[in-house]
Amino acid sequence: MLRNQLRPAILLTLLLCVITGFIYPGIVTGLAQILFPHQANGSLVVGAGGRVLGSSLIGQSFSRPEYFHPRPSAAGAGYDDTLSSGTNLGPTSAKLDTMVTTAADSAVKQEGAVRGQIPSDMVTSSASGLDPHISPANALLQVARVARVRGADPAAVQALVTRSIEARQLGVLGEARVNVLMLNLALDKQFPMHAVASATAR
Amino acid sequence: MTANGWLQIALFSVALLLITKPMGIYILRVVDGSMGWLRPVERLLYRIAGVNPEEDQHWTRYAASMLIFSAATMLLTYGVLRLQQILPLNPAARGAVPDRQAFETAASFTTNTNWQSYPGETTMSYFSQMTQLAYHNFVSAATGIALAIALARGITRRSAGRLGNFWVDLVRVTLYLLLPLATVLALLFVQQGAIQNFAHYVTATTVEGAKQVLSMGPVASQEAIKQLGTNGGGFFNANAAHPFENPTPWSNFLNVLAIFVIPAGLTYTFGRMANKQRHGWALWAAMFVLFLGGAVTAYWAEARGNPIHAAHGVDIAASAINPGGNMEGKEVRFGVATSALYATVTTDASCGAVNAMHDSFTPIGGMVPLVNMQLGEVVFGGVGAGLYGMLVMVILTVFIAGLMVGRTPEYLGKKIQAREVQMAMLFVLVFAGAVLTLSAIASVTAPGLKGLNNSGPHGLSEIVYAFTSTAANNGSAFAGLTGGTYFYNTLLGLNTLIGRFAMHVPMLALAGFMAEKRIAPESAGTFPVTTPLFVALLVGVILIVSALTFFPALSLGPIVEHFLMHAGRVF
């Protein structure tokens, strides 16, 4: 009984592998490249001279004071797209407790955050370690520092942040958010750093 | 908790309700052979493979076909993973996958589990991902659906133990159901931003001047079938939390709906086959009640956040501009509500894809996925696996109800006797036995404890979660556990095989025994299987069976951690 089952088992294994493992992804790739080439190739953000600055979907590290900062990241040394990961630390982890405490202290010191009002996304790492977004509350909290370092009018920077808020999709799905890379690019355009300000910032 | 959060859960529920009937009718037409638009391809496959599509297989033969096919696919994958360094489509020059890793991965994908103890972006070539992992996502899903249909045939017809033809079911489900749905879904994902290419990794120069390497690959095509087939194995380590897999809240909504669409449809298909549509809806209702209980609990727990963090000044109250709650291991675009919903759905079904890290959930929020899997993946469940698991629970329920009133239990006109109940019990016990025995071994041995990322009760939760997830063929993880060791790869790989095939054989035997039985007309004494009373009993039996089995382990893990967290204890 088993012997005459071997032929269909082996041949269907191979045939279905060809259909679902080669033809299917081939067709999807072809259609995707024709219909949505920008997305299919990573929604890349290209700057002056064709330099690839990153992807609008993948967060990147910002640590200079003149930029809005993303969330803490557990992907490699931070926002390493080849090592996507969360911290995977549990709610009673002492290590996580230390990380949150440090982040909360720095929010108070650097952004002038009020304890009890520190946005929860500001002190926690995302699931992928590549979260391109921060919450609107997080972005608004950073306005004062960014405006000060850039020598810009805080109200104007705040207006830019408000314009950058992406609403819930279809008005319902997900959460309101701000894309950090896109916001910082808009910031550089609208409030370019002066040489002096840049020097004092370092 | 916000009104918008509840609204999203409600929207999902309504979408699920609306899609059940059309999906169920479509699946029925696929498996009864009335779909014909790919007939030439279908015939060609049968001819080359030497399949006689007219053959009606006895349950033993059906089981043998399924086992031999699964073994062949597993061997193929093991071979390809070991040899990927000399195969094409490997732009990042990934080397051979080590032996134990390749075994675990092959076992895991063959069994529809997709437990991944490797990071995809640094282990697998495009060739391995596409031709092996995504391919298994199709055939292991098609196998599950075939088995559910076989059990449904056994229950609903009288045929001397014959259940249909495994090869025909496999081919039809793959061609007519999974491939078209996956193609459409993959393109919807790409439109939202999921990537789909064979390009080299892109090196970007960031705004601050650093280098950032962006991973590329055929992601959307794999993402689509991994959700539809309740497989869950991500292209990337971060799975559906990675923006290239799941870029927007809308793609996320499609993600969760895709997990439930086939399992929900199958309840309708079964109602049609049993000629008792209201029974199909009764199964749906029992599943929905259990789903909703989980979703509400998880959302409540995650939205309440972590009091230890709140004590440091973190604002855990949600508002229009602050997601609030427990945001550790969650993405801002999804927030707390959809992360909790996703975690519930992915573990109700044996999917195991994640858009947030379950390891970092609050104790009760993280217990929901764990309990969902311990219920036996019957809450809509894996494609096929959910229906056949649920039907086994139905048989137990009918049996218990029969005992209570002192009548020979019967189900859809067929008497439930000793052999059937033995097979049903075997099905239940194999699962519990595998989970508890292996968890116990890992909890007291050095190599088991070495893999932990968290200590205290959370460490035990990590271990129990791993063995529950693999036996339930779910594949989600408390991912802090380092599963890529010799110890864990061996045990977890074996566990996926036990959790699938050691349960399939008794289930198919049950189907065969049922198919041998005469169908008696209903009488006044028949226990009705279409009423709310039946739904309540069924839910009760499911909860009691798993509570009796797993409550001790849960109380030492997440439950005690919950109280310690509120007392401010850290480990």
Side-chain angles (χ1 to χ4, degrees):
Chain A
M1 182 170 106
L2 294 185
R3 194 164 332 140
N4 59 13
Q5 301 273 61
L6 270 179
R7 180 177 162 201
I10 293 170
L11 286 170
L12 278 182
T13 293
L14 296 175
L15 290 168
L16 290 177
C17 183
V18 169
I19 293 174
T20 63
F22 291 89
I23 300 177
Y24 159 72
I27 289 176
V28 172
T29 308
L31 288 173
Q33 291 289 341
I34 295 166
L35 296 172
F36 314 110
H38 174 69
Q39 294 96 313
N41 294 316
S43 307
L44 299 179
V45 179
V46 180
R51 176 185 133 190
V52 177
L53 296 171
S55 161
S56 62
L57 293 176
I58 304 290
Q60 55 179 250
S61 293
F62 283 96
S63 54
R64 291 189 205 153
E66 68 265 32
Y67 286 118
F68 286 89
H69 297 169
R71 302 175 64 190
S73 161
Y79 291 93
D80 183 341
D81 187 44
T82 61
L83 294 169
S84 65
S85 179
T87 63
N88 283 310
L89 293 171
T92 55
S93 156
K95 205 166 151 194
L96 177 64
D97 189 40
T98 311
M99 288 162 72
V100 170
T101 311
T102 312
D105 290 348
S106 114
V108 170
K109 213 166 79 191
Q110 290 185 6
E111 318 293 353
V114 177
R115 288 211 189 261
Q117 293 175 16
I118 303 170
S120 57
D121 66 303
M122 194 175 215
V123 295
T124 51
S125 309
S126 64
S128 61
L130 302 169
D131 198 339
H133 300 113
I134 52 179
S135 69
N138 184 341
L140 291 169
L141 195 53
Q142 299 186 43
V143 164
R145 166 181 48 85
V146 170
R148 188 177 65 242
V149 175
R150 288 190 180 248
D153 174 15
V157 176
Q158 177 157 347
L160 175 65
V161 169
T162 313
R163 275 203 307 281
S164 307
I165 295 175
E166 297 172 42
R168 291 184 171 123
Q169 225 169 350
L170 313 174
V172 196
L173 299 176
E175 297 294 338
R177 56 207 184 274
V178 176
N179 185 307
V180 180
L181 172 61
M182 302 319 274
L183 173 61
N184 281 332
L185 288 175
L187 194 63
D188 271 346
K189 212 173 194 178
Q190 202 177 331
F191 309 99
M193 285 291 289
H194 301 297
V196 186
S198 172
T200 49
R202 307 253 159 86
Chain B
M1 289 173 279
T2 61
N4 193 75
W6 295 117
L7 185 60
Q8 293 189 69
I9 294 173
L11 265 182
F12 172 75
S13 305
V14 171
L16 183 68
L17 179 65
L18 292 179
I19 213 160
T20 298
K21 182 176 171 183
M23 199 66 220
I25 293 173
Y26 187 81
I27 296 172
L28 188 67
R29 287 172 52 79
V30 168
V31 293
D32 73 8
S34 40
M35 285 278 161
W37 51 281
L38 285 171
R39 192 74 80 207
V41 182
E42 206 188 325
R43 287 226 182 89
L44 186 67
L45 290 176
Y46 298 146
R47 199 160 62 234
I48 300 174
V51 170
N52 170 15
E54 304 304 322
E55 183 198 6
D56 197 1
Q57 293 176 316
H58 188 258
W59 76 264
T60 48
R61 195 168 164 80
Y62 199 100
S65 298
M66 180 273 293
L67 289 173
I68 296 172
F69 175 72
S70 299
T73 60
M74 184 172 156
L75 276 174
L76 174 70
T77 298
Y78 180 81
V80 168
L81 296 184
R82 298 288 289 145
L83 296 172
Q84 73 172 358
Q85 76 281 17
I86 56 169
L87 291 166
L89 279 178
N90 188 5
R94 300 292 172 222
V97 179
D99 164 57
R100 276 304 123 148
Q101 190 64 65
F103 159 73
E104 199 283 333
T105 305
S108 191
F109 276 76
T110 303
T111 55
N112 199 258
T113 308
N114 299 21
W115 171 277
Q116 295 169 292
S117 48
Y118 60 86
E121 52 270 65
T122 49
T123 313
M124 297 293 168
S125 69
Y126 294 168
F127 188 86
S128 299
Q129 296 261 28
M130 180 176 91
T131 71
Q132 297 306 311
L133 306 186
Y135 147 71
H136 271 291
N137 287 354
F138 278 98
V139 293
S140 68
T143 301
I145 296 170
L147 294 178
I149 295 297
L151 177 59
R153 288 189 189 118
I155 290 173
T156 57
R157 71 187 194 186
R158 188 175 184 204
S159 59
R162 297 187 182 279
L163 301 176
N165 187 307
F166 173 74
W167 307 114
V168 172
D169 290 340
L170 173 73
V171 166
R172 284 185 181 158
V173 169
T174 307
L175 288 185
Y176 296 109
L177 179 62
L178 298 177
L179 276 168
L181 276 180
T183 306
V184 172
L185 192 60
L187 289 173
L188 289 172
F189 286 156
V190 177
Q191 191 268 331
Q192 286 295 298
I195 56 174
Q196 181 71 30
N197 60 56
F198 297 112
H200 284 264
Y201 288 10
V202 172
T203 305
T205 310
T206 67
V207 174
E208 291 195 346
K211 295 269 176 239
Q212 185 184 38
V213 176
L214 297 170
S215 304
M216 292 287 139
V219 173
S221 56
Q222 190 161 333
E223 182 72 12
I225 188 60
K226 106 172 200 248
Q227 302 298 115
L228 279 171
T230 62
N231 297 279
F235 196 94
F236 300 115
N237 189 42
N239 208 297
H242 196 297
F244 278 163
E245 282 197 24
N246 188 6
T248 64
W250 169 237
S251 71
N252 189 66
F253 187 81
L254 292 173
N255 250 267
V256 266
L257 197 58
I259 296 174
F260 267 1
V261 64
I262 292 175
L266 277 168
T267 63
Y268 192 89
T269 310
F270 181 67
R272 272 286 172 96
M273 291 173 76
N275 216 356
K276 205 169 197 138
Q277 202 58 63
R278 288 188 56 199
H279 178 51
W281 283 116
L283 296 180
W284 192 95
M287 292 171 168
F288 185 77
V289 167
L290 289 166
F291 151 72
L292 199 63
V296 168
T297 310
Y299 182 32
W300 170 80
E302 290 312 294
R304 272 181 98 200
N306 186 334
I308 300 174
H309 299 170
H312 297 311
V314 179
D315 184 6
I316 54 175
S319 72
I321 55 169
N322 177 23
N326 172 26
M327 282 300 287
E328 180 63 34
K330 295 190 180 63
E331 304 279 303
V332 169
R333 63 190 180 284
F334 304 139
V336 169
T338 42
S339 298
L341 176 67
Y342 202 115
T344 308
V345 169
T346 197
T347 50
D348 276 337
S350 69
C351 183
V354 295
N355 79 346
M357 293 302 140
H358 295 182
D359 212 350
S360 297
F361 273 34
T362 61
I364 300 298
M367 190 170 79
V368 168
L370 187 54
V371 168
N372 282 340
M373 295 186 291
Q374 290 170 343
L375 297 178
E377 301 290 23
V378 295
V379 186
F380 295 101
V383 287
L387 181 65
Y388 63 67
M390 190 52 130
L391 291 177
V392 169
M393 299 313 288
V394 167
I395 284 171
L396 283 182
T397 305
V398 172
F399 175 69
I400 290 168
L403 289 183
M404 287 196 279
V405 295
R407 284 182 61 96
T408 306
E410 52 184 78
Y411 176 46
L412 299 176
K414 293 190 170 187
K415 284 199 165 58
I416 306 293
Q417 289 161 309
R419 299 194 296 178
E420 289 78 47
V421 176
Q422 283 162 2
M423 290 303 123
M425 281 317 296
L426 199 53
F427 186 88
V428 172
L429 289 174
V430 162
F431 175 66
V435 172
L436 292 176
T437 312
L438 294 177
S439 299
I441 292 173
S443 313
V444 295
T445 51
L449 295 170
K450 218 176 75 182
L452 295 181
N453 186 41
N454 287 276
S455 42
H458 201 81
L460 179 67
S461 302
E462 281 186 343
I463 292 175
V464 174
Y465 198 103
F467 288 102
T468 305
S469 172
T470 45
N473 294 156
N474 183 282
S476 70
F478 270 17
L481 184 83
T482 307
T485 63
Y486 187 91
F487 176 84
Y488 275 113
N489 274 333
T490 308
L491 286 191
L492 294 172
L494 285 174
N495 203 26
T496 62
L497 296 172
I498 296 169
R500 185 137 170 122
F501 300 116
M503 291 169 76
H504 275 171
V505 176
M507 190 277 292
L508 282 171
L510 173 66
F513 298 160
M514 291 293 279
E516 290 168 2
K517 288 177 189 284
R518 201 169 59 82
I519 300 178
E522 277 187 23
S523 68
T526 304
F527 179 64
V529 290
T530 54
T531 57
L533 174 69
F534 166 75
V535 172
L537 257 179
L538 178 58
V539 169
V541 166
I542 293 167
L543 290 176
I544 289 168
V545 166
S546 78
L548 289 177
T549 317
F550 294 109
F551 185 75
L554 293 175
S555 59
L556 292 174
I559 294 176
V560 74
E561 192 190 10
H562 172 76
F563 291 111
L564 290 169
M565 176 181 82
H566 279 277
R569 276 285 298 279
V570 293
F571 296 88

